[in-house]
Amino acid sequence: MRVGVVGGGIAGLGAAWELARSGHEVSVLERKVQLGGQMSTFAVEGQRLERFYHHLFTSDSDLLRLIDELGLRHRLRWFPSKVGFYYRGRVHGFTTPMDLLRFGPLSLPDRVRLGLLSLYLQRTSRWRRFESVSAREWLKRYAGDRGFEVVWGPLLRGKFGPSAGEVSMAWLWSKMRLRFGSRGRGMQREQLGYMEGSFGLVVDALAEKIRDSGGRILTRSLVERVQVGDGGRLEVDVHRRDEPLAFDAVIAAVPFSGLPEMVPGLLLSYASQVNGIGYLAAQCLVLVLKRPLSPVYWLNISDPDIPFVALIEHTNLVPSVHYGGKSVLYISNYSHYNSLSLKLRPKELVARYLPHLKKVNPEFDTQWIERYYVFREEAAQPIVTPHYPERMPAHRTPVPGLYVANTAQIYPEDRGMNYSLRLGLRVGRMVMEGGRGETGD
């Protein structure tokens, strides 16, 4: 078959690789200059670094397998992680079971309750029991009001804002199971993986494999429309291209938010499902600092007055020697696409965040900042609500030969490199199994 893949993120590249290595003719159409989507990189002190923070968990089997297939295992490094929790002017360690037992904002009974709940979520695989209930409702019931007020509530509000109360407990289960799964059965210190040279190496090597198998990768190729043409083939109109490209099948590895405009022939029932999926935008301010802000890699923020949800100090995981001795800090936030913070210029965003960094480290000074960068993704985090599978659009659309693969279809797991890759591989196989023109679930 001749297959077009719209979107050059890891899901799109995974689908293209699955098809290309099976002998199909594949063309990847990416609207940006660089491949990788949220895995795309920029340069810091001569080294590549992801625009949005990334790491591997020990359970990320699909991506680990791909790294082996690409011959890149020798570039993979594992590091002990250090997690913290900022609450009422103080950074609390949150890395080991002993840290939890010393977590002063909760009483001893509440700490024990939190620990037992975390163990339960790590070890239970019966996630379907969580599908019909919100995380807020379930956590208030089992973690207690104080545990929810101090720990869970602020994290949900920071991540989902006004939609925090709607988030499914199945979503939180997957986050907790993945995070604690990287600690092992004994709850030892979490181990996280990172590629020496960035995960951009994976993107580059995967693209090369696709090309070596006869595939085409066309960057700066904005797809404007996909429709059924003469003879039943799908025609793809690309911006500034005179003639449409014709394919037997097309995989749209793009967010649902842009799909109805791209594919005007979607049936109303499917389009209604698509329009029912909500997203939050992600925004990362990346600071290159002369010295570390804190000793913590991942610092969760539990303070409603602070306008970001987490501080991820990359060089507290990967040694700063790789970045000329500089510290690299991601300041992460999520908001609705029309939020005012997404409209701030980089300098304005820095000015908004700076006073709050002094709360984390009173010694912090603006003179520490050497450079800063702002990266935004409008449809980054799907809002997963109770009974989500009933609303999630199928991979096979009603348009014959058109398939969709995006992060809003990763369930019950949350978005991430490993699961996006798994999704792409799966939809690539679906195209081969379904052939041209098959629809349905």
Side-chain angles (χ1 to χ4, degrees):
M1 289 185 295
R2 190 180 186 197
V3 183
V5 178
V6 183
I10 192 64
L13 292 175
W17 171 229
E18 188 74 359
L19 288 155
R21 67 179 169 182
S22 298
H24 298 283
E25 185 181 340
V26 179
S27 296
V28 177
L29 307 170
E30 167 56 46
R31 65 187 178 92
K32 295 182 179 179
V33 177
Q34 195 177 10
L35 297 171
Q38 293 182 55
M39 288 173 64
S40 60
T41 61
F42 68 111
V44 173
E45 298 297 323
Q47 289 290 324
R48 296 171 70 182
L49 182 70
E50 294 77 17
R51 288 180 167 88
F52 298 89
Y53 47 90
H54 285 80
H55 56 242
L56 267 176
F57 292 101
T58 56
S59 57
D60 285 342
S61 56
D62 291 271
L63 190 50
L64 288 170
R65 190 178 305 115
L66 176 65
I67 288 170
D68 284 338
E69 291 175 1
L70 298 175
L72 294 173
R73 176 67 75 146
H74 66 287
R75 303 295 293 269
L76 180 62
R77 302 286 183 267
W78 293 97
F79 303 100
S81 173
K82 189 171 184 180
V83 180
F85 203 89
Y86 177 86
Y87 180 78
R88 291 192 176 178
R90 183 180 169 191
V91 175
H92 300 266
F94 227 68
T95 302
T96 67
M98 285 304 298
D99 288 334
L100 176 57
L101 289 175
R102 289 191 291 258
F103 187 59
L106 293 179
S107 67
L108 182 58
D110 281 334
R111 286 176 241 166
V112 172
R113 195 173 183 179
L114 178 61
L116 291 174
L117 183 146
S118 299
L119 279 172
Y120 169 73
L121 291 175
Q122 177 200 355
R123 296 184 178 183
T124 184
S125 58
R126 299 172 63 186
W127 56 269
R128 292 194 180 277
R129 66 177 66 183
F130 302 128
E131 284 192 316
S132 61
V133 63
S134 72
R136 181 181 186 278
E137 179 184 349
W138 194 91
L139 289 167
K140 284 181 74 70
R141 183 187 308 161
Y142 293 104
D145 290 338
R146 180 64 179 166
F148 184 82
E149 175 191 337
V150 173
V151 178
W152 304 105
L155 296 181
L156 286 170
R157 286 192 297 272
K159 181 86 168 181
F160 292 100
S163 302
E166 308 168 24
V167 177
S168 169
M169 185 59 202
W171 176 86
L172 187 62
W173 166 85
S174 72
K175 295 288 285 187
M176 293 294 294
R177 186 172 171 84
L178 179 64
R179 192 100 218 185
F180 283 102
S182 214
R183 296 175 182 266
R185 299 290 293 181
M187 289 294 287
Q188 62 263 33
R189 192 169 180 178
E190 180 181 57
Q191 296 289 314
L192 300 176
Y194 190 75
M195 297 293 295
E196 185 179 313
S198 85
F199 289 105
L201 295 178
V202 176
V203 172
D204 293 347
L206 187 54
E208 185 178 351
K209 285 282 190 181
I210 293 168
R211 293 189 184 101
D212 289 345
S213 299
R216 293 192 302 168
I217 295 181
L218 307 174
T219 57
R220 298 181 180 177
S221 296
L222 173 63
V223 172
E224 296 180 327
R225 181 165 302 207
V226 179
Q227 57 191 346
V228 180
D230 296 336
R233 300 185 90 190
L234 289 173
E235 293 185 348
V236 177
D237 293 322
V238 179
H239 183 60
R240 293 184 177 177
R241 192 180 185 99
D242 293 336
E243 297 293 330
L245 300 173
F247 298 103
D248 298 306
V250 170
I251 299 172
V254 296
F256 281 126
S257 53
L259 197 63
E261 183 178 355
M262 182 189 296
V263 190
L266 283 177
L267 290 182
L268 183 60
S269 57
Y270 190 86
S272 297
Q273 278 188 299
V274 165
N275 290 327
I277 301 297
Y279 288 93
L280 291 172
Q283 178 170 257
C284 270
L285 170 63
V286 184
L287 300 182
V288 179
L289 303 173
K290 295 177 182 177
R291 52 185 290 189
L293 180 74
S294 82
V296 176
Y297 167 58
W298 189 290
L299 183 61
N300 294 300
I301 303 298
S302 177
D303 186 332
D305 295 326
I306 293 181
F308 43 81
V309 65
L311 297 173
I312 297 93
E313 201 151 357
H314 176 75
T315 40
N316 286 338
L317 183 73
V318 180
S320 62
V321 66
H322 295 287
Y323 308 96
K326 309 301 182 186
S327 292
V328 178
L329 173 69
Y330 291 89
I331 305 178
S332 174
N333 199 28
Y334 293 86
S335 60
H336 287 284
Y337 71 93
N338 59 354
S339 169
L340 290 177
S341 68
L342 294 176
K343 298 176 173 59
L344 294 177
R345 291 175 295 186
K347 188 175 182 179
E348 295 171 328
L349 189 65
V350 171
R352 184 185 184 200
Y353 284 174
L354 286 183
H356 302 284
L357 296 179
K358 289 187 73 69
K359 296 178 182 178
V360 175
N361 183 349
E363 295 183 5
F364 174 78
D365 189 276
T366 56
Q367 298 301 314
W368 294 11
I369 302 175
E370 290 206 344
R371 284 177 300 284
Y372 56 84
Y373 309 84
V374 175
F375 302 109
R376 296 177 171 116
E377 183 68 36
E378 283 193 7
Q381 176 64 59
I383 302 173
V384 179
T385 55
H387 306 288
Y388 189 75
E390 300 170 15
R391 302 187 301 104
M392 185 172 69
H395 296 300
R396 294 187 180 97
T397 77
V399 177
L402 177 64
Y403 298 73
V404 179
N406 64 46
T407 55
Q409 294 168 305
I410 298 172
Y411 185 84
E413 297 87 5
D414 190 29
R415 67 193 181 97
M417 295 184 294
N418 182 72
Y419 297 111
S420 293
L421 172 64
R422 179 184 297 180
L423 181 73
L425 296 172
R426 180 194 308 148
V427 176
R429 290 192 292 270
M430 288 176 68
V431 172
M432 291 186 284
E433 294 164 1
R436 180 178 165 188
E438 183 174 333
T439 63
D441 296 331

